[in-house]
Amino acid sequence: MAEALLVEEVGAVRAPASGAHPFWRRLRARRSALVAAAVVALLVLLALAAPLLTGIEGQNPTAYHPDLVDSATGGVPLGSFGGISAEHWLGVEPLTGRDLFARVAYGARVSLGVALGATLLQVAVGVVVGLSAGLGNRFVDQALSRVTDVVVALPVMVTALGALAVVPAGFPRPVLIAVIVGLVGWSGISKIVRAQTLSLKSRDHVAAARLSGWGSWQIARRELLPALAAPVITYAVLLFPANIVVEAALSFLGVGIKPPTPSWGQMLSDADTWYQAAPTYLLIPALLLFVTVLALTVLGEGVRTALDPRAASRLRIGTGRKKEAGA
């Protein structure tokens, strides 16, 4: 139900008629979107600069430090707040003594990288399938629509378990997760692109292009794709945090990223037995995951409003009418 409402809302987004400068002006006018963009930029910087930052700290994400945990208590980190010190900025992991900051920084690369790869694959497949359905004949449209309906019904967890059973163990797990999530989650974008294509191809400029001898894909590239950019970008920005949550959930359930490769979801899975003895081990990745998803969601809402200024106008008009009715 929530996905259907999201598809309906994003599908109503129209391409900005006045170019990129008004879009950036409207986006800068939303302070929440600017704050969210700054947070996202810092997280991306953390992921990209992970080798540099961990080099400054003098640690790496896979080195064990058994002398920093108390074996008498089952491996609880020595010192206050999980062993935070000048050498270990966020403390160390229980039982292993691995540096937590290094694990978090490299985990950001995995979590954000998997989500980015899955989102790009979803956009690519969804746009191609949606355009093919909207521009094709009745048989092609119905066939692709039925395939899309089947993909909507595919559960990510079951699909991931099936893929892990047949894919060789040596295949890179982050790439596998990105491919699975991408191939299962493109249906929303496909439905949006198909609906917008059916609406746009009846416009006069598209009909004129067809009469001039242009082929279907030439029309799609020159006439349809620019108009589809706004709804596709909006939905992609909203998909990105959802893909981060999916990767974290798969890792938490034990079918995602495997140790020693760090990811935030995998760290949460390991921390569920240490939340009382070493709460920072659970709180740090959980807080980072929460902040990342919240910032991306707020940024996505800001992008949606900037691309469709009529949405904000409708909201203000509706609010004003409610106040007048209440008065």
Side-chain angles (χ1 to χ4, degrees):
M1 182 65 179
E3 181 180 355
L5 292 175
L6 182 59
V7 169
E8 180 181 356
E9 180 184 18
V10 177
V13 177
R14 295 176 174 83
S18 51
H21 292 291
F23 164 75
W24 291 114
R25 186 177 65 251
R26 289 190 294 265
L27 186 62
R28 289 195 300 268
R30 297 180 62 87
R31 295 183 179 179
S32 59
L34 292 180
V35 174
V39 173
V40 172
L42 288 176
L43 291 169
V44 172
L45 181 62
L46 172 66
L48 295 177
L52 175 62
L53 294 175
T54 55
I56 294 174
E57 187 193 23
Q59 304 294 335
N60 67 74
T62 58
Y64 283 64
H65 301 281
D67 56 312
L68 299 179
V69 297
D70 187 3
S71 58
T73 58
V76 177
L78 298 172
S80 303
F81 303 104
I84 292 178
S85 64
E87 292 79 18
H88 301 278
W89 297 345
L90 295 180
V92 297
E93 279 188 341
L95 195 62
T96 64
R98 291 181 295 193
D99 184 76
L100 191 55
F101 175 78
R103 304 280 296 173
V104 164
Y106 277 90
R109 306 184 97 188
V110 174
S111 297
L112 295 179
V114 169
L116 178 61
T119 302
L120 293 177
L121 183 58
Q122 289 167 341
V123 170
V125 176
V127 169
V128 171
V129 174
L131 278 174
S132 301
L135 292 175
N137 56 35
R138 184 177 180 181
F139 173 77
V140 173
D141 186 16
Q142 290 183 350
L144 292 177
S145 297
R146 299 295 79 78
V147 172
T148 303
D149 293 337
V150 171
V151 173
V152 171
L154 287 177
V156 177
M157 304 301 175
V158 176
T159 306
L161 289 173
L164 293 174
V166 299
V167 176
F171 194 87
R173 190 59 62 94
V175 177
L176 177 60
I177 298 300
V179 171
I180 291 174
V181 176
L183 292 180
V184 173
W186 54 263
S187 56
I189 291 182
S190 175
K191 288 178 177 292
I192 292 173
V193 172
R194 175 185 175 273
Q196 293 292 308
T197 301
L198 291 175
S199 174
L200 290 170
K201 74 176 186 178
S202 61
R203 302 285 177 86
D204 293 339
H205 63 93
V206 177
R210 192 180 298 275
L211 290 175
S212 65
W214 288 8
S216 296
W217 291 110
Q218 192 175 11
I219 293 175
R221 181 171 58 88
R222 295 189 179 183
E223 300 292 341
L224 299 181
L225 286 178
L228 293 171
V232 169
I233 291 173
T234 301
Y235 194 77
V237 174
L238 296 176
L239 273 178
F240 195 87
N243 290 335
I244 292 178
V245 174
V246 170
E247 183 278 322
L250 289 172
S251 299
F252 183 81
L253 294 176
V255 297
I257 307 300
K258 296 293 185 181
T261 303
S263 80
W264 294 345
Q266 184 257 327
M267 293 174 67
L268 287 174
S269 177
D270 294 341
D272 61 350
T273 59
W274 297 95
Y275 66 93
Q276 289 183 335
T280 55
Y281 184 39
L282 174 65
L283 292 177
I284 290 175
L287 181 62
L288 283 172
L289 185 61
F290 172 77
V291 169
T292 302
V293 173
L294 178 61
L296 286 168
T297 303
V298 173
L299 180 59
E301 177 64 20
V303 170
R304 185 190 69 83
T305 304
L307 287 171
D308 183 20
R310 302 179 188 181
S313 300
R314 288 193 295 267
L315 180 60
R316 288 193 296 268
I317 293 173
T319 305
R321 289 177 177 175
K322 288 181 180 181
K323 290 181 178 179
E324 291 178 0

